[in-house]
Amino acid sequence: QVQLVESGGGLVQAGGSLRLSCAASGSIFKISVMDWYRQAPGKQRELVASISTGGITHYADSVKGRFTISRDNAKNTVYLQMNSLKPDDTALYICNINGGSSWPYDYWGQGTQVTVSS
């Protein structure tokens, strides 16, 4: 079983920045794809950013140019740097670790709340 613990959420004004962290337990981090999702009230869960084992990144169109995903394999941690935040970014941000197309596992964190005021 893998445990994921997110941190770094909070309340910020529009235009501000936050850095989210997600620390994973266990020994599979280095071979895993790491994703950040978000879910706002009344909306479907949305994939925000993804980073492969080789560092290849993908972003939702809504956050391109504002958010940056990165990983530190030595610390078993993935980060999401969020700049130029907008009220529409308000959501619960949830970390996911999975084996991509190689391994059949998929674990979720509890999430960290991000609230952007106008």
Side-chain angles (χ1 to χ4, degrees):
Q1 187 75 12
V2 175
Q3 303 291 330
L4 298 172
V5 179
E6 300 101 329
S7 61
L11 174 63
V12 64
Q13 287 188 330
S17 299
L18 284 174
R19 188 194 195 203
L20 306 183
S21 300
C22 172
S25 65
S27 59
I28 61 172
F29 184 87
K30 293 178 183 178
I31 63 168
S32 299
V33 175
M34 299 300 301
D35 297 331
W36 281 101
Y37 284 79
R38 67 186 180 187
Q39 187 158 21
K43 294 186 178 181
Q44 286 191 324
R45 187 170 291 188
E46 173 190 22
L47 177 61
V48 174
S50 179
I51 185 166
S52 71
T53 55
I56 297 172
T57 58
H58 294 282
Y59 299 94
D61 287 344
S62 58
V63 306
K64 279 181 182 176
R66 300 188 297 120
F67 290 10
T68 303
I69 189 172
S70 60
R71 63 190 297 160
D72 185 337
N73 289 341
K75 295 183 178 180
N76 279 13
T77 301
V78 63
Y79 304 97
L80 186 66
Q81 178 66 45
M82 306 187 296
N83 298 329
S84 302
L85 283 161
K86 305 174 181 179
D88 283 349
D89 295 318
T90 295
L92 182 68
Y93 283 72
I94 308 161
C95 181
N96 173 271
I97 183 171
N98 63 82
S101 59
S102 300
W103 306 101
Y105 59 85
D106 187 15
Y107 298 99
W108 296 86
Q110 294 298 309
T112 185
Q113 179 67 36
V114 172
T115 302
V116 184
S117 63
S118 56

